[in-house]
Amino acid sequence: MFRRNVESVKDVLLRVMREQGLETPLNQKRLVEAWPIVAGPLIARYTLNTYIYNQTLYVRLSSPALRADLSMRRQELTQQLNDMVGEQVITDVRFG
């Protein structure tokens, strides 16, 4: 009897992305896009710029008081952002 090796399209795409080295940049983009969702609309309004460098999310804020408050919640925000993406993409969040 003839058997086919059937894979879902999702599995094939993930495998190809991993082989081509595109999985990490995609996860980083998803994490940066998740910042306004995790942080909330009020904090997102004060966010000027976000980017990832060396597994650290850098968030530039326009409010010094908000920057100090969020600095105390770094571990919590790191965990929530990684959970949102489904993988450990960052190890720290820095505010500037």
Side-chain angles (χ1 to χ4, degrees):
M1 183 176 220
F2 180 65
R3 278 198 146 157
R4 294 180 186 206
N5 185 13
V6 180
E7 290 184 76
S8 71
V9 174
K10 178 183 175 183
D11 293 338
V12 171
L13 286 174
L14 287 174
R15 182 172 41 84
V16 169
M17 286 176 39
R18 192 173 297 123
E19 290 171 357
Q20 297 297 319
L22 299 173
E23 185 178 30
T24 300
L26 178 64
N27 285 337
Q28 288 177 347
K29 181 178 182 335
R30 289 174 55 210
L31 189 131
V32 167
E33 290 175 350
W35 170 254
I37 298 165
V38 171
L42 179 67
I43 296 170
R45 195 173 338 154
Y46 289 99
T47 301
L48 302 174
N49 190 16
T50 55
Y51 64 94
I52 297 175
Y53 182 73
N54 286 342
Q55 293 186 327
T56 301
L57 176 67
Y58 291 90
V59 180
R60 188 165 170 242
L61 300 167
S62 61
S63 169
L66 186 59
R67 187 179 319 135
D69 183 47
L70 290 176
S71 291
M72 291 184 258
R73 297 180 46 208
R74 284 177 23 197
Q75 287 183 328
E76 175 188 344
L77 290 168
T78 301
Q79 184 64 43
Q80 288 176 349
L81 287 163
N82 283 328
D83 289 346
M84 189 88 163
V85 175
E87 288 189 32
Q88 183 172 352
V89 178
I90 59 170
T91 56
D92 194 14
V93 180
R94 300 266 172 110
F95 300 99

